[in-house]
Amino acid sequence: MTTHAEHIRQHRQKMKDEGGAAIAKLVEAHPEFAMDADQSGSASVTNYVIFGQCDDEPVVFKYFCQDERRAREIYGLLHWMPTGIVPRLYHDEGLRLIVIERFPGSFLPRPSEEGFAAIDRELAGYSLGVATAKFCTTPISKEEADGFERRFYDGQKLEEYFGKIIGAGRSIVQKVEVYGGDVFLQSLAFLEGQLEAILAQPRMLYHQDAQMHFENSRFCGFFDLEMCRVGTRAMQFGSMWGQFAECEHWSHFARGFSEESGIVLTEEDFEIGRAFAHFMVWRYITRYGEWRGGEGETQRASIQDAEQFAADIERWNRVRWQE
């Protein structure tokens, strides 16, 4: 039986072979494009990504592993284009390949990395809050939201998305001993208790992966929009909870968000955002709701990860409304 690690290795090689050929063909046909000799900083996990230039402007060549991922990314790029905080779309080659603007900067350093202590937490939090407000206030009509849900993710509605994963979580805590402890039981109960408030918020398109760059602690832009989906403001906040846990800048974020949007965030906004961060952990535990505690490779992999999942839940709980 192929191990998970071997499956990942094979997938990455397949993407490199397919994506490399597609990018080389594009560059040959379009002299304005060129690939960089130095690829340090580029990262290819699910898709294949190469750095390059378009008339001396830095770009990213992105080859997708699935047609739907490419379609969702383009949808997000066009939806948020007026905000100026997502990459410009330079070229849509079709056949899973696009060329987009490459933002300056990088991810913020992690606590264990050099440079973390030098982060200006106030600037990072405030500028992220301003940007997130632009995301959350980009209008999407009910018809557009319904159309997105019919088109992508197998037509799964938001309520069904929550229901499938929470239902799988309930099954797991009953069947699998390592998930029957207080950390997981309390997490699931907290999430279920906040679910009505999460779903009561107006629908918006949100950036589930929340990939972003900063330069000198100032937000530069969101990218990797392929996992965007219809959600709510709380779901956007919860998707970025790792930022709040590591940088402890929620109060600065809330100020930037409120000043840009005119929406004053309350402690309820904070708590339902935290609840969605818990949900994201359950999304991984349940493998998007596909594992309900049964035996097999998925069970073994999830049990091995249980300690890290518990640590994530406890980290999310340590984030405070006021730092």
Side-chain angles (χ1 to χ4, degrees):
M1 180 179 292
T2 303
T3 65
H4 180 67
E6 178 61 17
H7 173 75
I8 294 296
R9 189 198 67 77
Q10 291 175 1
H11 172 79
R12 289 179 178 174
Q13 185 61 51
K14 181 174 183 288
M15 287 298 96
K16 182 178 180 179
D17 293 343
E18 291 181 4
I23 294 166
K25 184 177 180 180
L26 173 67
V27 170
E28 183 179 2
H30 295 270
E32 68 271 26
F33 293 128
M35 288 183 278
D36 285 353
D38 180 8
Q39 290 295 324
S40 58
S42 65
S44 299
V45 181
T46 306
N47 306 302
Y48 186 64
V49 174
I50 286 289
F51 287 168
Q53 304 288 322
C54 176
D55 293 330
D56 298 323
E57 293 292 328
V59 299
V60 172
F61 299 97
K62 186 171 183 180
Y63 182 84
F64 294 88
C65 66
Q66 296 174 344
D67 295 332
E68 182 172 316
R69 285 177 177 262
R70 171 184 160 276
R72 289 196 302 255
E73 174 119 357
I74 291 174
Y75 192 104
L77 290 170
L78 297 178
H79 176 75
W80 284 304
M81 182 175 60
T83 67
I85 56 173
V86 299
R88 286 174 291 164
L89 179 62
Y90 279 89
H91 189 84
D92 176 14
E93 181 68 5
L95 300 177
R96 302 188 179 180
L97 177 60
I98 63 173
V99 186
I100 55 175
E101 176 185 7
R102 184 182 355 144
F103 285 130
S106 62
F107 301 111
L108 287 177
R110 305 294 300 274
S112 60
E113 295 174 344
E114 184 179 355
F116 178 77
I119 295 172
D120 182 333
R121 295 192 303 116
E122 181 175 359
L123 177 58
Y126 180 86
S127 60
L128 176 59
V130 169
T132 305
K134 294 177 180 179
F135 249 32
C136 292
T137 55
T138 300
I140 186 170
S141 68
K142 183 179 186 305
E143 291 73 21
E144 289 173 319
D146 289 345
F148 184 97
E149 290 186 320
R150 284 194 301 268
R151 180 180 176 188
F152 299 120
Y153 297 105
D154 297 321
Q156 188 181 55
K157 301 285 286 184
L158 183 57
E159 293 81 0
E160 295 167 346
Y161 177 51
F162 276 101
K164 183 176 182 179
I165 290 171
I166 291 173
R170 290 195 196 107
S171 177
I172 289 168
V173 297
Q174 294 173 357
K175 293 180 178 179
V176 185
E177 183 178 2
V178 72
Y179 287 106
D182 288 345
V183 169
F184 295 107
L185 291 171
Q186 290 169 9
S187 170
L188 202 56
F190 171 60
L191 168 58
E192 292 186 89
Q194 300 293 333
L195 183 58
E196 183 178 352
I198 294 173
L199 292 174
Q201 291 186 331
R203 297 296 185 262
M204 55 168 278
L205 201 66
Y206 81 105
H207 183 12
Q208 186 168 252
D209 280 358
Q211 301 278 28
M212 63 193 84
H213 269 185
F214 292 80
E215 189 171 41
N216 297 323
S217 299
R218 185 181 297 277
F219 176 89
C220 294
F222 290 113
F223 57 93
D224 281 356
L225 307 177
E226 68 200 72
M227 297 301 288
C228 66
R229 67 185 304 157
V230 172
T232 68
R233 186 171 70 229
M235 296 169 72
Q236 186 62 76
F237 293 171
S239 296
M240 302 187 298
W241 212 254
Q243 289 277 329
F244 307 138
E246 293 185 350
C247 296
E248 299 179 336
H249 56 21
W250 166 266
S251 60
H252 305 304
F253 169 89
R255 181 168 60 88
F257 185 95
S258 297
E259 290 181 8
E260 176 66 27
S261 67
I263 301 169
V264 177
L265 298 180
T266 66
E267 194 162 358
E268 181 186 50
D269 288 303
F270 176 82
E271 288 300 332
I272 61 178
R274 188 205 307 272
F276 188 72
H278 280 244
F279 174 83
M280 293 291 279
V281 177
W282 285 101
R283 187 189 71 163
Y284 287 116
I285 292 172
T286 67
R287 301 299 197 266
Y288 289 83
E290 296 302 321
W291 181 55
R292 302 179 63 86
E295 296 181 359
E297 290 297 316
T298 301
Q299 180 195 37
R300 285 192 284 275
S302 194
I303 289 175
Q304 289 170 0
D305 292 336
E307 187 174 327
Q308 181 59 56
F309 290 139
D312 288 341
I313 289 169
E314 290 171 340
R315 278 203 306 140
W316 300 165
N317 288 340
R318 286 195 292 271
V319 180
R320 293 291 172 256
W321 162 245
Q322 296 290 346
E323 296 92 5

